[in-house]
C-alpha cells in the first residue's frame, strides 16, 4: 500500500494568502449577483440575500481568526472585498456594526481608507433607521433623480464628502443616470 506524500502544513503567509484569495472570490461572486438585489424576480432576490448572509457569516469567521482584513496583511483586493461584504450585510446588522468598529480602528491606525469607512458608516446608520452622514446611500429615484436617505446637516454633506474623498453628491448620482 502506497501513501501519497503529505503536503507540509501551510505557514502563516500561505494561510493569509488563501484567506485573501477566498475574500476576492466572494467579492467577485457579490459583483456578479448584485444586480439581483432588487430584481422583480423574488427568487433572484432571495438568492442575493442568501449569498450576502453566507458571505457575512464567513467574514465573521475570518475576523474571529485574524481581525479586520487590512491591505498590509491581506492585500488591497482582499481588504476591499472584506469592506464590500460588510457593506452588503444589510440583514446582519451585528456584522456591519462589528466591521464598522474594526474599520474605525484600522483607519485610525492608517490601515484602511476613510472613503470606505464613510460608506460603511452611512450604510450602518441607514440600516439602524438613523440619518446618514455622507449621503452615500440612495433611498430611491424621484422624477428620474436618485434621492439619498435622510442625511444629517444636508447643507454640509458635500463638505463632509470631500473630507473623505467622495465626489460631491450631484457628481456621484450622475453615474446612476
Amino acid at each position: 500500500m502506497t501513501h501519497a506524500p503529505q503536503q507540509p502544513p501551510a505557514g502563516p503567509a500561505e494561510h493569509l494568502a488563501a484567506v485573501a484569495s477566498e475574500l476576492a472570490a466572494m467579492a467577485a461572486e457579490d459583483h456578479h449577483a448584485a444586480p439581483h438585489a432588487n430584481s422583480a424576480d423574488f427568487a433572484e432576490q432571495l438568492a442575493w440575500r442568501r449569498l450576502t448572509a453566507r458571505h457575512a457569516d464567513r467574514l465573521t469567521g475570518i475576523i474571529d481568526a485574524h481581525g479586520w482584513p487590512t491591505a498590509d496583511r491581506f492585500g488591497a483586493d482582499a481588504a476591499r472585498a472584506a469592506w464590500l461584504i460588510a457593506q452588503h450585510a444589510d440583514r446582519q446588522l451585528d456584522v456591519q456594526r462589528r466591521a464598522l468598529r474594526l474599520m474605525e480602528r484600522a483607519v485610525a491606525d492608517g490601515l484602511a481608507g476613510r472613503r470606505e469607512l464613510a460608506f460603511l458608516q452611512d450604510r450602518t446608520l441607514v440600516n439602524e433607521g438613523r440619518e446618514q452622514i455622507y449621503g452615500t446611500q440612495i433611498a430611491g429615484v424621484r422624477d428620474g433623480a436618485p434621492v439619498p436617505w435622510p442625511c444629517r446637516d444636508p447643507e454640509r454633506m458635500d463638505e463632509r464628502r470631500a473630507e473623505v474623498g467622495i465626489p460631491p453628491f450631484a457628481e456621484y448620482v450622475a453615474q446612476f443616470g
Side-chain angles (χ1 to χ4, degrees), residues 94 96-106 117 120:
D94 57 322
Q96 281 186 333
R97 287 177 178 142
R98 184 177 182 197
L100 181 61
R101 285 190 310 272
L102 293 170
M103 276 197 78
E104 285 170 342
R105 275 190 246 143
L117 177 62
L120 184 57

Side-chain angles (χ1 to χ4, degrees), residues 59-60 63-64 67-70 82-83 86-87 92-113 116-125 128 130:
L59 179 61
T60 297
I63 291 169
D64 288 346
W68 185 252
T70 55
W83 164 79
Q87 184 80 355
Q92 290 166 281
L93 197 49
D94 57 322
V95 174
Q96 281 186 333
R97 287 177 178 142
R98 184 177 182 197
L100 181 61
R101 285 190 310 272
L102 293 170
M103 276 197 78
E104 285 170 342
R105 275 190 246 143
V107 167
D109 293 340
L111 299 173
E116 288 78 15
L117 177 62
F119 273 84
L120 184 57
Q121 190 171 19
D122 273 1
R123 187 81 165 232
T124 304
L125 287 167
E128 291 174 340
R130 297 164 55 197

